[in-house]
Amino acid sequence: MSDRKKWLVLLQIAVTAGLLAWVFAGTDWQPLAALFKTIDPALMLAVFVLINICYLLQGCRLFLLLPKENPGDGSVRCRVTFFPYLYHFWRSTFHDIYVPGKLGGDIARFVYLRRMGLESSRLVVPFLAFRLQGLALLCYAALFILAEAVFSFNAWWLAAAALAVVLCCRYVAGKLLMLPGVLRFCARFPVLDAVVHSTRALLSDPVRLVLTSFIYIIFLAVTVLTYGIAAQAMNIVLPPDQLLTGVPVFMLAAMVPVTIQGRGLTEFLAVAIWGGTISNEQIVATCLCIFGCTLAMQLLAGLFWGGNALHGHGSVPS
């Protein structure tokens, strides 16, 4: 491990420990333990299932963003089929345990798709679009909800403005990539030419962009529902407006690679947002239940990953 990575890991441990220490300092351990004793196993199983559904929805979104085959004479074609791919997407979540920013799973999926016949240069744009689209929609959802719930601002004007900006950017980018000078320059570099080709193909397919955006909205709704059921499993009542306000912010926090899987920062923000509605113990219990179910799902995925490796299948499901 390089010195830079070591310092990053130490920073993550320090920030996570510091934030968790602050949260736990205001938490009474006896009520927290009592909450865990009241957990409804059926509802926690529902939380576990919903977390798996969230990851499968993300897998569907990336699949729709992938190019269907490599350009050229067709001698090398994409061999990616939906269900084997989705299985691999799910079990790749195991690598998110120890790599910050959920990059471990993305790296494993990139390698798998490369082995399935897709060129690396053709995969750059779908993976970037997958992450940037999710980040943009999540930021917009957080701003939309905060505008409505906190500032009492008519957020539909914000929706119209955001849509206008997206359409303008798509139009300008499409025109720029069609300029003869740009095409001649990119033709000198095969990798850059493939990236530009993938970008143009994606921008020229609005149906695919709308469909993947719709899938992400469903993913966000299921995530909000998951938090609500996790709280309900311990007889904690979280109003829908509190869930809608907090969960998008927690999801954004989990993307920041300064903590270990968003731990500490998520609890800190949850106390700041939900502190006036439920107790610190209830907040910590809800967040830890979500984390526990997510970790259980990732460890289960790791068993499937390791099982295939032991049988000599490597990273490609048979």
Side-chain angles (χ1 to χ4, degrees):
M1 184 183 290
S2 65
D3 290 340
R4 183 178 178 180
K5 290 182 179 179
K6 288 180 181 178
W7 281 110
L8 178 59
V9 171
L10 290 175
L11 174 65
Q12 290 174 331
I13 294 173
V15 173
T16 299
L19 289 173
L20 285 176
W22 182 88
V23 171
F24 286 134
T27 302
D28 191 332
W29 290 94
Q30 288 186 346
L32 180 62
L35 282 170
F36 286 128
K37 291 179 182 179
T38 64
I39 287 178
D40 184 334
L43 290 179
M44 288 311 297
L45 178 61
V47 170
F48 179 80
V49 171
L50 287 173
I51 288 173
N52 279 273
I53 290 174
C54 285
Y55 276 93
L56 294 177
L57 286 170
Q58 288 285 70
C60 293
R61 191 165 67 88
L62 178 58
F63 183 79
L64 289 172
L65 292 170
L66 293 174
K68 301 309 175 188
E69 62 181 40
N70 287 321
D73 59 4
S75 57
V76 179
R77 299 181 66 83
C78 173
R79 301 188 300 274
V80 180
T81 52
F82 180 68
F83 287 108
Y85 153 82
L86 198 61
Y87 165 71
H88 183 84
F89 186 99
W90 173 78
R91 70 194 186 106
S92 297
T93 58
F94 165 70
H95 300 285
D96 290 334
I97 294 176
Y98 57 87
V99 180
K102 298 185 177 180
L103 293 177
D106 281 355
I107 293 171
R109 291 160 198 145
F110 191 97
V111 172
Y112 166 78
L113 292 168
R114 182 67 186 88
R115 291 181 178 181
M116 289 294 98
L118 283 172
E119 298 172 358
S120 299
S121 57
R122 300 270 288 165
L123 290 172
V124 172
V125 172
F127 273 83
L128 281 177
F130 175 71
R131 288 302 173 192
L132 292 176
Q133 183 189 49
L135 178 61
L137 288 170
L138 187 56
C139 288
Y140 170 71
L143 289 174
F144 184 91
I145 294 166
L146 287 173
E148 285 279 4
V150 179
F151 301 107
S152 300
F153 176 74
N154 188 350
W156 291 107
W157 288 104
L158 183 65
L163 180 61
V165 170
V166 170
L167 291 175
C168 288
C169 290
R170 175 181 172 272
Y171 176 80
V172 172
K175 291 296 183 181
L176 286 175
L177 293 177
M178 289 298 293
L179 291 175
V182 173
L183 295 176
R184 285 196 299 269
F185 176 80
C186 294
R188 301 176 184 175
F189 309 97
V191 174
L192 182 59
D193 189 52
V195 169
V196 170
H197 180 87
S198 298
T199 305
R200 286 169 53 195
L202 192 58
L203 291 175
S204 62
D205 192 352
V207 174
R208 191 160 37 143
L209 294 175
V210 171
L211 183 57
T212 52
S213 298
F214 181 69
I215 291 174
Y216 190 85
I217 293 171
I218 296 175
F219 158 75
L220 182 57
V222 174
T223 304
V224 171
L225 178 64
T226 304
Y227 270 85
I229 294 177
Q232 188 61 42
M234 295 172 285
N235 296 314
I236 301 169
V237 179
L238 266 172
D241 62 323
Q242 292 293 313
L243 286 167
L244 289 171
T245 303
V247 174
V249 177
F250 307 155
M251 293 171 69
L252 281 172
M255 295 182 180
V256 181
V258 296
T259 59
I260 300 172
Q261 289 206 13
R263 296 277 59 81
L265 187 55
T266 298
E267 289 76 13
F268 174 82
L269 291 171
V271 169
I273 296 173
W274 292 344
T277 305
I278 57 178
S279 66
N280 273 25
E281 293 78 21
Q282 291 174 322
I283 292 170
V284 171
T286 302
C287 292
L288 289 182
C289 282
I290 292 289
F291 173 66
C293 288
T294 303
L295 185 61
M297 184 273 294
Q298 292 171 329
L299 291 174
L300 178 63
L303 291 177
F304 282 88
W305 183 278
N308 275 26
L310 289 174
H311 287 85
H313 298 310
S315 64
V316 181
S318 60

